[in-house]
Amino acid sequence: MKYNFHHGTLSVRDLQRSIKFYELLNFHEIFDWKAEDRSLQITHMKNGPFVLELFCYAVFVEPPDSIHSIDTDLPVIGTKHIALQVDDIIEARTDLIQKKVIDDTVQITQGRTGITYFFVPDPDGILVEIVEDKRGL
């Protein structure tokens, strides 16, 4: 039996705002569904083989404050973040500064696993890791 990654899911407050944000990271919409009672809308976006599923509930529950800081959220059991790989981490940082996704205080870090990275918060504060991985794994 072969298992392949299909998608990751995020719940968001404002679907259009999140779609615009993820478009800046080279995702594009491929599917949209709306409940007849407007209680839920689901949009699928794609970047290469990766499918991002966005859930937007009319009535949502606020997340704990810990999700907004990688330092406090990593020990909490559960899904942590998504990561997008780039060929040049410095160029990616410059691109996201120019697009006003981040400011110039965001620093590139050398990870314990041998990659370089920085984090970008999406419109809901969900962390997206931008990664340069030259390990050839």
Side-chain angles (χ1 to χ4, degrees), residues 120-135:
V120 175
D122 84 352
D124 292 299
I126 300 167
L127 296 173
V128 177
E129 185 177 17
I130 307 300
V131 173
E132 181 182 313
D133 186 351
K134 301 288 187 187
R135 298 174 298 169

Side-chain angles (χ1 to χ4, degrees), residues 13 63-70 72-73 79-80 124-127:
R13 285 182 191 86
D65 288 339
S66 65
I67 73 149
H68 302 295
S69 172
I70 197 70
T72 59
D73 193 56
T79 304
K80 301 294 104 188
D124 292 299
I126 300 167
L127 296 173

Side-chain angles (χ1 to χ4, degrees), residues 1-63:
M1 177 61 61
K2 184 177 179 183
Y3 297 92
N4 293 309
F5 185 81
H6 183 266
H7 72 272
T9 304
L10 303 175
S11 288
V12 301
R13 285 182 191 86
D14 180 326
L15 188 59
Q16 292 309 309
R17 183 177 69 169
S18 293
I19 288 170
K20 287 180 184 175
F21 173 82
Y22 286 101
E23 285 174 342
L24 294 172
L25 300 176
N26 297 333
F27 283 87
H28 62 277
E29 288 183 70
I30 58 170
F31 176 82
D32 190 58
W33 176 87
K34 295 177 187 173
E36 286 184 28
D37 66 0
R38 300 195 181 273
S39 62
L40 172 62
Q41 185 171 347
I42 301 170
T43 295
H44 288 177
M45 300 185 78
K46 196 165 186 180
N47 178 332
F50 185 81
V51 175
L52 180 63
E53 182 176 53
L54 300 177
F55 275 50
C56 189
Y57 286 91
V59 177
F60 55 85
V61 177
E62 288 292 339

